[in-house]
Structures are given as structure tokens and as C-alpha cells.
Amino acid sequence: MYRILGELRAQYWYWFVRNGLINIELETAPAGKRAIKLELLKCDSTITHTYGDEKMGIELARLTGDQSLDKEFRNNGKNYRRGSRLVPDYLTKVLDKVIPGSLSAYQEGPCKLFLILESSNLVETMSVLARALLNMLESNRDIVQNDSVLAKLTDDLSNRCMLSIFGGSIKLLKVIEDIFEHLFPDNNWDEFTSVINMDNEQFDIDNLRHPKVIELELVVPIVIGFAFFRASYFDEIHYLSKVCYQEKYLKLLNHKFLMKEELWCFNTDAGKKIDSSRLNYNDSNIKGLFEQAKEMTTPASLSFAKTVMKASLE
């Protein structure tokens, strides 16, 4: 089935597989200049030449015993890395045997972001979102316990997730909102504005808005998922736009997981212009909301001028 997220899936899957291979190498040779370079690549996934496509092919062929993987990554590795080639199903299944979790990473995305975006209704979306948030918090329970308010909210979220099968969606949503407001106080993401202000400063993770207690990289996929949820079901496009572009959290996804900011406009399908007739309702919804979020970063007058200019040239 066609999926609008195919290109981003390819990039995130490539990152996950490469990261798995890096971890294997660091376990066998944890010191030296090579190890330092690998650790830097884990911090910034966009660094080039440290762990290339050929190296991936060689290591995957060695681990699986399938020599065709060497050729596969020599020929197509860069295309998966760039998101210009969709990943064949057989390849995700083969590599999951040597890089455990890579298949679910391909299907679900970071912190289940792909599942959140592709959920078909409000209750399903909120359920996936809530459990992704709960999993992240419980995986960092030692850190969470250092913040009594967050610890209490985490327990509330756990209880609400268990009770949600009996209803109570409004109270579950309230707990989710309270957690994000606590982690990112005074964020003003819900305050409407017609144009999103963006600065032109070079991307620097230290200059981004960071949450209390939890590392930003752990929570940002869920923040984007929550912003999409609000845009989709409460018509808060400005919330999605602020999170993605004003806060530069899409750039952070690229920095951490290789997922290009440009691909969130969904203008191509593995390098080809998207045929809108192939999109199902969910795919069209995803594409439309992220396009609107991007449009909010352009002043109306400039957008109008571009439209007039384009019409005059046609």
C-alpha cells in the first residue's frame, strides 16, 4: 500500500541500521580515534564519510552471510540515506535478524511518530500518542523521579492509559497536555498567529527550546506527533507550524535521525512527483497539514506576490 511517509521511513531506517552497526563496532573497539569519530556520528547523524554505504554493505554481508547485501548498499545505500529510494519489504525483514528492532523502527518511526501520523481517528491517535509518551517517560524513570510533578503526571498518564479502554479520552488528553506544558513551560504554541516568526541563525541544538528534566532528543518526535494531533483534530495548524519551524524541531530530526526537513513537504515519492490520486485519506491529510504548517512560515504578502508572479508566467 502506498504511504506518504515512505521517504522519511527510508531515512530513519537507514539511520537505525547504521546506528546498530556503529554500536556493534564500539562494543568490540571502544577506544581510539575511530571510536571518537563514531561517537560524534551518533550525536550528529548528518556527518559524512565516518561510516559509509560500502562499510555498511560489507558489515551486513558479514553478519547475515548474504553477500548480495554488499552490492545492495554499494548501489543503493546513498539513496536510502537521502530518502530517494523506498526500502523493499524483504530487506527490512532480512536486516531485522541482525539489527533487532530495525523492522519496527521502519514501521513505527522514532517514538512511534509514523504510527501517530497514520492513525485513522482521534481515539486511536491519542492512544498511540499516550503510550509513546508513557514508554519514553517510563524508560527514563530514574530521571523522571527527580521531578516530583513529572513523576505524578507520569503515574496519572499510566492510569489513564489503562482506563482509556473504558472511555475517558478527555481526561487522557488533559494529562498529555499537562505533561507537555510542564516539560515546556510558557511555550505559547497554542496562541494563534497568522505568520510564524523564524530566525535565520545557523542550527545549533544548544539554542533550541529544551524541556525540563528530559533530553530534547528523547521527546521531540512525540512533541511533533502531539502538534500534528492538535492540527488534525482541533484545526491548530499554528501549533504544528511553531513546533516544526519556529522551534526548529524538524531540523533536530535531521540532526539526530537523518530525516530531512524538506521531505516533510511531501512533494515527491522517492524522487518522483507525487501522484495525488494514489493517496488515501490519511496520506492526503498528513500531506495537507504539513504543507499548511510550512505555508505559515511565509508572510501573506510574499506568498501572494509569488502567486501573482507564477500566474503571470503561465
Side-chain angles (χ1 to χ4, degrees), residues 44-290:
D44 181 356
S45 69
T46 62
I47 295 174
T48 57
H49 307 304
T50 298
Y51 206 108
D53 307 321
E54 291 187 8
K55 172 70 172 174
M56 288 183 67
I58 292 170
E59 290 303 310
L60 290 170
R62 179 182 66 82
L63 290 170
T64 62
D66 184 350
Q67 296 305 311
S68 69
L69 293 177
D70 186 2
K71 181 179 179 181
E72 174 67 29
F73 275 83
R74 286 177 186 271
N75 292 342
N76 298 318
K78 66 180 180 182
N79 297 320
Y80 298 135
R81 173 165 42 87
R82 296 171 180 172
S84 58
R85 181 181 177 86
L86 304 182
V87 185
D89 288 342
Y90 84 89
L91 192 56
T92 62
K93 296 174 182 177
V94 168
L95 296 196
D96 192 56
K97 297 177 181 178
V98 291
I99 308 295
S102 59
L103 177 58
S104 61
Y106 172 79
Q107 295 171 335
E108 299 179 0
C111 297
K112 302 186 184 298
L113 176 57
F114 298 156
L115 293 186
I116 294 170
L117 302 182
E118 291 181 338
S119 295
S120 58
N121 56 62
L122 185 148
V123 173
E124 180 185 349
T125 307
M126 189 162 55
S127 176
V128 176
L129 174 65
R131 295 197 176 277
L133 180 58
L134 181 61
N135 288 343
M136 185 276 296
L137 292 170
E138 290 188 334
S139 296
N140 296 274
R141 175 63 74 169
D142 291 345
I143 299 173
V144 170
Q145 290 300 330
N146 293 328
D147 184 320
S148 59
V149 175
L150 184 58
K152 175 63 167 57
L153 288 170
T154 300
D155 290 339
D156 289 346
L157 178 62
S158 178
N159 292 331
R160 286 297 163 194
C161 282
M162 288 188 290
L163 292 172
S164 65
I165 59 174
F166 304 108
S169 296
I170 292 177
K171 291 183 178 180
L172 176 59
L173 176 58
K174 180 64 167 60
V175 175
I176 295 172
E177 289 177 335
D178 288 346
I179 289 174
F180 283 120
E181 287 302 314
H182 179 71
L183 290 176
F184 298 91
D186 303 318
N187 57 66
N188 298 321
W189 295 335
D190 61 344
E191 293 184 4
F192 176 77
T193 180
S194 58
V195 179
I196 302 302
N197 294 321
M198 298 174 62
D199 63 63
N200 295 318
E201 293 182 4
Q202 187 174 2
F203 176 81
D204 184 344
I205 191 171
D206 292 333
N207 293 335
L208 302 184
R209 184 191 298 272
H210 288 251
K212 299 170 62 177
V213 186
I214 298 293
E215 291 184 19
L216 177 59
E217 294 169 347
L218 296 176
V219 72
V220 77
I222 311 175
V223 173
I224 292 172
F226 182 60
F228 175 84
F229 170 80
R230 294 184 66 140
S232 183
Y233 294 105
F234 300 100
D235 201 27
E236 293 183 302
I237 304 296
H238 57 281
Y239 197 108
L240 180 63
S241 188
K242 286 182 178 181
V243 164
C244 290
Y245 296 104
Q246 182 173 292
E247 303 295 353
K248 299 184 178 179
Y249 288 165
L250 288 187
K251 290 185 183 296
L252 180 60
L253 287 189
N254 178 231
H255 178 85
K256 178 61 180 177
F257 302 122
L258 269 181
M259 301 160 71
K260 287 182 182 177
E261 180 181 1
E262 295 80 5
L263 291 183
W264 289 95
C265 292
F266 304 110
N267 291 323
T268 63
D269 172 18
K272 300 177 182 179
K273 187 173 181 180
I274 283 181
D275 179 1
S276 297
S277 65
R278 297 177 61 199
L279 300 180
N280 62 26
Y281 175 80
N282 280 3
D283 291 336
S284 296
N285 186 52
I286 295 169
K287 185 176 188 294
L289 291 175
F290 277 98

